[in-house]
Amino acid sequence: MIEFSHVSKVYKGVKALDEVSFTVGPGSITGFLGPNGAGKSTAMRVLVGLCRATSGSATVLGRPYAELDRPGFQVGTLLDAAAQHPGRTGREILTLGAMTLGLPRSRVDEVLDLVGLSGKESRRTVGGYSLGMRQRLGIGHALLGRPAVLVLDEPANGLDPQGVQWMRGLLRGLSDAGCSVLLSSHLLHEVERVADRIVMIGRGRVLAQGTVEELSRGRGLERTFLDLTAHADRSAA
């Protein structure tokens, strides 16, 4: 479970997050939806302890990330697929992750198969990977410890249509098994096809949240999203 409670973050006088509150329950996928610069990545960085909230709290499984006993087995994260070492092979990156967690080498083969990277692809250096391959590798790294919570920032970037369909099926299978998934995107049509709930954010503020069905009523989900983000931009002007 993930919980944001009145989280605000101020950078040099600029409020990147403004009283953000929402939860992600077990066995569910929450789409964190907003345009680039809306505050999605900042919220995720606060959640996993990479930056400190100015006020409020963000917890995973009832505790701040820094207080988790074995975070690699409890929370899987993908915040930047391009951050992987370009001189290492995909297999080496996963092997180092498995060694850090004390996992057997066999887990690397399981994960490579799970994310659809062939033996030949896994032996290539990451510097020669496409963005889609880096995304698959990053998702695999997040899954090494079989975590109960997944935090994924724009994981569909660079995936081809087949890859996007694969990712939807993977996340749905994980959530059906009880995993809590927080998935950020700026693409409405990707989020609504996989998420159980949606949290819309703009200019650091939660603009609306609810199930896809709830947010689709009346004007429809796309119209609601466009109207709310436009309103947020006018209010900040």
Side-chain angles (χ1 to χ4, degrees):
M1 180 172 176
I2 295 169
E3 182 173 10
F4 285 83
S5 180
H6 304 286
V7 174
S8 293
K9 176 63 179 177
V10 179
Y11 288 110
K12 297 180 180 179
V14 177
K15 189 168 279 190
L17 297 174
D18 187 359
E19 293 283 325
V20 170
S21 295
F22 66 91
T23 62
V24 181
S28 68
I29 301 173
T30 292
F32 198 23
L33 179 66
N36 292 329
K40 304 185 300 296
S41 295
T42 299
M44 289 181 156
R45 289 175 63 82
V46 168
L47 179 65
V48 299
L50 293 178
C51 63
R52 183 174 297 178
T54 304
S55 61
S57 64
T59 58
V60 187
L61 301 171
R63 302 169 69 181
Y65 183 88
E67 296 180 11
L68 295 174
D69 296 326
R70 304 179 77 192
F73 290 94
Q74 295 168 289
V75 186
T77 63
L78 172 60
L79 300 183
D80 184 1
Q84 298 147 346
H85 195 298
R88 293 196 174 112
T89 67
R91 179 175 289 276
E92 286 172 342
I93 286 174
L94 291 181
T95 299
L96 287 170
M99 291 171 62
T100 300
L101 294 175
L103 295 170
R105 298 273 180 116
S106 59
R107 181 58 181 158
V108 173
D109 292 315
E110 292 172 358
V111 166
L112 285 168
D113 184 61
L114 183 64
V115 301
L117 288 175
S118 69
K120 182 178 180 180
E121 289 169 335
S122 73
R123 292 188 290 272
R124 288 172 52 188
T125 58
V126 172
Y129 276 17
S130 66
L131 178 55
M133 291 173 66
R134 286 177 183 246
Q135 293 285 25
R136 287 176 181 265
L137 180 63
I139 292 171
H141 198 278
L143 294 175
L144 274 171
R146 297 184 176 89
V149 174
L150 275 178
V151 180
L152 307 175
D153 194 1
E154 301 276 5
N157 278 0
L159 292 178
D160 59 21
Q162 183 180 6
V164 171
Q165 186 174 7
W166 160 81
M167 186 192 71
R168 290 183 198 137
L170 174 69
L171 296 183
R172 178 48 58 195
L174 291 167
S175 68
D176 288 347
C179 189
S180 303
V181 181
L182 178 60
L183 165 73
S184 86
S185 180
H186 62 282
L187 301 173
L188 172 61
H189 67 281
E190 293 302 339
V191 170
E192 66 179 326
R193 291 183 182 182
V194 70
D196 302 299
R197 294 181 58 83
I198 291 178
V199 176
M200 295 184 180
I201 186 171
R203 297 283 184 173
R205 290 177 290 168
V206 172
L207 306 174
Q209 58 180 303
T211 66
V212 173
E213 181 181 354
E214 288 168 346
L215 295 177
S216 296
R217 291 172 186 162
R219 294 170 296 173
L221 187 54
E222 183 173 6
R223 186 70 259 168
T224 297
F225 177 57
L226 292 173
D227 287 352
L228 286 171
T229 52
H231 177 73
D233 289 341
R234 289 195 299 269
S235 297

